[in-house]
Amino acid sequence: MKNNEKTVSEPAMKKQGFLDFLFSRNRAPLLFCVAMFFSWYLFFFYSIIQGDSYYRIILFGSGEDTFMDFYNSCRDASRGMECYTLRGVIYPPLANLFYIVCCPFITDKYLNTSFINNHKIMTTPSNIMVCVMITLVIVCFLVMLYSSVLKGNKYYKIIVTMLFIINYPVVYAIERGNIILLAFLLVLFFVFNYDSENKYISEFACICLAISAAIKIYPALFGIMLILSKRYKQAIRTVVYGILLFF
């Protein structure tokens, strides 16, 4: 009987040991690299086979709608409360405040145009550069933040960071000019720093989560991390921050 128990338990122990090894926190970057490499392989494989038609499937093919999540939101925000009453915008007030700040850098001709003529913004280089520069700043902060928490030599950091940035979800968000990039940056800072021994950095991480949730709402789910780690006071303060920023 003991031999049978040993025979049954050893494979289970080996399996559990393999799973612990595979999904340990130290192996997460390796799994990420493998997944991203496979994703890249599929991307280039289909690009070679289908050519331009593949890009038209995964991105907006006409070219007239590039960055329009940014431009349309600036146009809507410039109209004040009409963006909610007439256009039915679902962005929270803080997100619209961000776009209002960006409005002075967008030409008045576009801000005052009708929605059906929004594609005309792509004919104005200054309008295009506004979105490009804002996106570059956010991506640069993403690269710095992510590379700062990676462990390993510089080549490893470069490869993992490139895989992190150059993948379809991020590329698609860049093509749309979506504010989710900013929300993602703030959430990432929270995830990496909410348990920091430096109380100021830890508190700022909670504020970042509150700002992110006030921009896109669903990042508030990351607040569960505070509850699971039994940081109840920190969680309460984060909720307060979020309520104040949302309204």
Side-chain angles (χ1 to χ4, degrees):
M1 182 65 69
K2 291 183 178 179
N3 290 334
N4 290 337
E5 290 179 355
K6 185 176 181 180
T7 303
V8 173
S9 62
E10 281 185 353
M13 291 177 63
K14 290 181 179 179
K15 181 179 180 181
Q16 185 61 41
F18 174 75
L19 291 176
D20 290 341
F21 169 80
L22 188 63
F23 294 105
S24 66
R25 191 169 184 177
N26 294 332
R27 300 295 168 185
L30 177 60
L31 289 174
F32 176 79
C33 286
V34 172
M36 286 298 101
F37 179 80
F38 183 69
S39 175
W40 273 23
Y41 175 79
L42 290 177
F43 175 79
F44 287 115
F45 177 76
Y46 282 106
S47 296
I48 292 172
I49 293 178
Q50 299 183 4
D52 179 67
S53 61
Y54 179 63
Y55 295 99
R56 291 179 177 273
I57 295 174
I58 65 174
L59 300 175
F60 280 68
S62 67
E64 295 181 346
D65 206 57
T66 302
F67 301 146
M68 280 302 167
D69 283 359
F70 174 78
Y71 296 127
N72 288 339
S73 296
C74 286
R75 176 188 170 281
D76 292 336
S78 69
R79 284 160 166 71
M81 289 302 297
E82 286 186 6
C83 69
Y84 293 109
T85 57
L86 296 181
R87 284 274 293 141
V89 169
I90 60 174
Y91 275 134
L94 187 62
N96 281 321
L97 178 61
F98 169 80
Y99 290 120
I100 289 174
V101 172
C102 296
C103 282
F105 304 99
I106 305 295
T107 56
D108 291 337
K109 181 180 179 180
Y110 172 74
L111 295 177
N112 295 324
T113 193
S114 62
F115 182 74
I116 59 175
N117 294 320
N118 59 2
H119 61 277
K120 292 182 178 180
I121 193 171
M122 298 306 294
T123 62
T124 309
S126 60
N127 290 338
I128 298 173
M129 289 307 299
V130 171
C131 185
V132 170
M133 294 303 296
I134 292 174
T135 303
L136 282 176
V137 170
I138 294 175
V139 170
C140 284
F141 274 111
L142 278 171
V143 170
M144 290 188 293
L145 177 60
Y146 192 72
S147 60
S148 67
V149 300
L150 286 176
K151 297 179 180 179
N153 59 50
K154 62 179 181 179
Y155 301 107
Y156 173 77
K157 289 184 176 182
I158 291 173
I159 292 173
V160 176
T161 303
M162 285 182 61
L163 290 171
F164 171 70
I165 294 297
I166 309 175
N167 60 75
Y168 176 68
V170 175
V171 171
Y172 183 76
I174 292 174
E175 191 269 344
R176 301 309 306 141
N178 199 287
I179 200 173
I180 195 173
L181 282 175
L182 177 58
F184 179 49
L185 171 63
L186 296 169
V187 166
L188 205 62
F189 186 89
F190 166 79
V191 171
F192 290 153
N193 295 285
Y194 78 94
D195 57 352
S196 173
E197 295 180 357
N198 187 317
K199 64 178 183 180
Y200 297 107
I201 293 178
S202 177
E203 198 68 18
F204 182 67
C206 293
I207 295 174
C208 285
L209 177 62
I211 296 174
S212 181
I215 290 175
K216 276 289 188 178
I217 300 179
Y218 51 80
L221 293 174
F222 283 86
I224 296 175
M225 297 175 66
L226 295 173
I227 298 175
L228 294 177
S229 58
K230 298 181 180 180
R231 297 172 177 269
Y232 302 120
K233 292 183 179 179
Q234 203 172 354
I236 293 173
R237 292 199 301 272
T238 304
V239 171
V240 173
Y241 295 145
I243 294 174
L244 291 175
L245 289 168
F246 191 86
F247 297 104

